[in-house]
Amino acid sequence: MTTSLKQIETELETLQQEAESAIAQIKTLEGLEDLRILYFGKKGQLSQILRAMGKLSVEDRPHVGSLSNEVKDALQAQLDQKRNDLQLAKIEAQLAAETLDVTMPGVGRPLGHIHPLNGTIDKILDIFVGLGYTVATGPQVETDYYNFEALNIPPDHPARDMQDTFFFSDGRLLRTHTSPVQIRYMEKQQPPIKIVAPGRVYRRDTVDATHSAVFHQVEILLVAQGISFAHLRGTIKAFISQMFGEDLPIRFRASYFPFTEPSAEVDIQWKGKWLEVLGCGMVDPNVLKTVGYDPEIYTGFAAGFGVERFAMVLHQIDDIRRLYSSDLRFLNQF
Ligand code: DAH
């Protein structure tokens, strides 16, 4: 019996030592729970030792009972302490991981740019809106009527050769200029009218440094009573000086457009050279008649200019193709 008592005491002592060092070494809450089950679980080591108590004498039992309670309490206290420590460490680790370092440099998001063509269109529109014009637009796929006929360019008229055209098989076409917007607007509105119409236009041109089959124009049209060439001239002068930020020398050269009479081309002196920048004229009475305006009462002027031309002059761009190439090394300069 005594050996048995001694044996249990030793076993309890060994268990306590082993458990204490195991608890001290454990690093995770999960590992700690495994230890608890190993020592205190129903099939755990402590239960196994206590099961042997039945073999002890009645006098020895209380002694072993209190001894095992002591061991159990001591280990339980260490388990609890360790669990607390581990939980605290876990929370601290979480907090440290979630800390926001407000001194860290941010992630730079590159800003986009307005494309030089759009920038030029915006600038032109701003100037004319400032002069009281309304922005108007029209379709890029046009009929022969709006693109040519209503603009006083009948079939077989030689002026058609000035604008080599992309036709669809059904007879419609890609508009060759923004002038059809004049007709569409006048059909719907009564004078006085003042419009500025930006848009994309198409011609069968061979692409090179100064030509593109797709380009952009801005059209202006003003029709009211008592409008003369002097109004046209003053408007163009005001536009050019706002566009270039200075009063550049400007010259009107007699020219020909079927939809204006008289017609002129305008050159500006820029960096010592004369540059042609736009076509213009007094709206031909035939055009006014076509849309139902009485040319005896109303007169008007119109002008059309190439946006690429202005963009290239203003930004000193040497090749029109750069405007369409989406090359960021080029675009980032604007
Ligand atoms: N539509 C002409 C072209 O594309 C430009 C033009 C000239 C427009 C004279 C006008 C104008 O409104 O009056 O070549």
Side-chain angles (χ1 to χ4, degrees):
M1 284 292 169
T2 16
T3 14
S4 221
L5 173 63
K6 190 86 197 120
Q7 209 178 323
I8 291 181
E9 280 176 353
T10 321
E11 277 174 6
L12 280 171
E13 204 175 305
T14 315
L15 174 81
Q16 182 166 12
Q17 279 168 7
E18 273 177 22
E20 275 175 358
S21 85
I23 291 170
Q25 276 166 35
I26 211 75
K27 296 262 182 320
T28 65
L29 284 165
E30 296 75 28
L32 192 68
E33 178 61 11
D34 291 345
L35 278 186
R36 190 190 64 76
I37 293 166
L38 178 66
Y39 294 115
F40 297 142
K42 271 211 185 90
K43 293 180 185 153
Q45 292 186 14
L46 193 64
S47 315
Q48 274 171 26
I49 294 171
L50 293 182
R51 224 164 277 144
M53 251 171 76
K55 290 180 195 147
L56 292 177
S57 65
V58 181
E59 311 86 71
D60 283 343
R61 280 182 204 171
H63 173 64
V64 173
S66 71
L67 187 63
S68 74
N69 274 343
E70 272 169 37
V71 170
K72 198 178 167 183
D73 289 347
L75 288 180
Q76 187 67 54
Q78 285 182 31
L79 271 176
D80 290 346
Q81 179 62 45
K82 186 74 182 189
R83 187 176 298 115
N84 269 344
D85 291 352
L86 286 175
Q87 270 167 352
L88 211 69
K90 195 174 168 183
I91 290 171
E92 268 166 13
Q94 252 171 18
L95 285 176
E98 286 167 12
T99 312
L100 191 65
D101 182 355
V102 293
T103 65
M104 271 192 23
V107 181
R109 305 255 173 240
L111 278 184
H113 302 245
I114 302 276
H115 190 278
L117 270 183
N118 288 325
T120 306
I121 293 175
D122 288 350
K123 191 167 175 182
I124 295 171
L125 292 184
D126 274 356
I127 293 171
F128 283 104
V129 167
L131 293 171
Y133 286 67
T134 302
V135 178
T137 53
Q140 293 176 37
V141 175
E142 265 298 5
T143 61
D144 191 275
Y145 177 77
Y146 287 109
N147 197 81
F148 293 122
E149 232 163 293
L151 288 162
N152 207 25
I153 319 174
D156 306 324
H157 192 284
R160 290 205 178 198
D161 290 348
M162 290 159 69
Q163 304 185 358
D164 246 353
T165 311
F166 290 112
F167 284 96
F168 294 98
S169 47
D170 62 2
R172 289 184 303 162
L173 48 86
L174 289 171
R175 68 177 177 195
T176 56
H177 51 178
T178 43
S179 302
V181 182
Q182 294 188 23
I183 306 298
R184 288 184 175 274
Y185 194 85
M186 285 191 286
E187 273 183 349
K188 296 211 178 73
Q189 307 283 333
Q190 287 307 305
I193 58 163
K194 263 173 118 174
I195 56 164
V196 55
R200 190 169 288 177
V201 300
Y202 305 82
R203 291 198 197 164
R204 272 189 56 187
D205 261 332
T206 307
V207 176
D208 63 22
T210 52
H211 293 86
S212 165
V214 182
F215 58 103
H216 299 78
Q217 288 188 334
V218 175
E219 189 89 8
I220 61 163
L221 171 70
L222 185 151
V223 181
Q225 290 185 31
I227 299 301
S228 71
F229 203 95
H231 295 115
L232 169 60
R233 203 184 149 81
T235 303
I236 298 298
K237 256 194 106 53
F239 164 64
I240 294 293
S241 76
Q242 285 193 52
M243 195 66 193
F244 290 87
E246 53 183 310
D247 270 324
L248 298 175
I250 170 170
R251 104 188 150 188
F252 283 68
R253 253 183 312 109
S255 182
Y256 172 76
F257 299 104
F259 32 89
T260 44
E261 179 59 35
S263 304
E265 277 175 311
V266 174
D267 304 329
I268 56 167
Q269 201 171 50
W270 171 253
K271 297 190 192 295
K273 274 195 285 187
W274 285 103
L275 284 177
E276 182 193 320
V277 288
L278 60 90
C280 62
M282 300 306 291
V283 181
D284 193 291
N286 280 340
V287 173
L288 296 175
K289 270 188 235 161
T290 301
V291 296
Y293 290 4
D294 184 348
E296 298 297 326
I297 304 176
Y298 299 109
T299 50
F301 62 73
F305 27 94
V307 175
E308 280 77 357
R309 191 65 190 272
F310 278 98
M312 289 171 76
V313 170
L314 280 172
H315 298 297
Q316 292 161 42
I317 297 165
D318 58 347
D319 190 323
I320 197 170
R321 289 166 290 195
R322 293 193 197 284
L323 291 168
Y324 311 115
S325 64
S326 301
D327 184 340
L328 284 179
R329 291 169 304 179
F330 168 73
L331 294 174
N332 277 335
Q333 300 172 53
F334 300 95

